[in-house]
């Protein structure tokens, strides 16, 4: 077996994540919550203005097409959520 099931998951410390988010995406925020996962790391970051972002650190063994699918699913959920909020 090769790939995501045999690759070690990322192991970033919560203290490292705000710097990674700032360097990678220019987002200033602190870790509010960690979402447990067996293959990658996911964090809820909250900025000083209350703005929130999900920061995902994918497993190095994950296939690119799977990562593309995950991003597409997240964007779909965000669009759906925004439409529901706009309707009140």
């Amino acid at each position: 077996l090769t790939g995501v099931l045999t690759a070690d998951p990322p192991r970033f410390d919560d203290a490292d994540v705000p710097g990674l988010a700032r360097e990678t995406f220019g987002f200033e925020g602190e870790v509010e919550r960690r979402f447990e996962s067996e293959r990658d790391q996911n964090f809820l970051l909250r900025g000083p203005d209350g703005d929130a972002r999900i920061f995902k650190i994918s497993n190095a063994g994950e296939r690119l097409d799977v990562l593309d699918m995950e991003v597409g699913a997240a964007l779909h959920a965000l669009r759906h959520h925004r439409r529901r909020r706009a309707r009140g």
Side-chain angles (χ1 to χ4, degrees), residues 11 23 35 40 46-47 75 80-81:
R11 299 195 194 288
E23 292 169 19
F35 300 100
D40 49 27
R46 179 89 47 197
L75 291 172
H80 180 72
H81 176 74

Side-chain angles (χ1 to χ4, degrees), residues 5-6 10 17 21 25 27 30-31 33 37 44 47 50 52 54 56 61-62 66-67 69 72-73 84 86-87:
L5 297 178
T6 58
V17 173
F25 298 106
F27 182 76
E30 296 298 320
V31 173
R33 181 175 174 194
S37 173
L44 174 62
I54 298 293
K56 178 183 182 73
E62 192 68 82
V66 172
L67 295 175
M69 180 270 307
R84 290 188 68 187
R87 283 188 260 152

Side-chain angles (χ1 to χ4, degrees), residues 7 13 17 35 37 43-44 50 52 55 58 61 65 79-80:
D13 190 56
V17 173
F35 300 100
S37 173
F43 303 87
L44 174 62
F55 188 76
S58 297
D65 62 325
R79 285 189 299 271
H80 180 72

Side-chain angles (χ1 to χ4, degrees), residues 38-78:
E38 64 185 9
R39 299 184 330 218
D40 49 27
Q41 286 184 289
N42 301 281
F43 303 87
L44 174 62
L45 302 180
R46 179 89 47 197
D49 59 356
D51 201 15
R53 297 283 190 279
I54 298 293
F55 188 76
K56 178 183 182 73
I57 303 172
S58 297
N59 187 303
E62 192 68 82
R63 293 184 351 229
L64 292 179
D65 62 325
V66 172
L67 295 175
D68 286 344
M69 180 270 307
E70 290 176 349
V71 169
L75 291 172
H76 173 78
L78 178 62

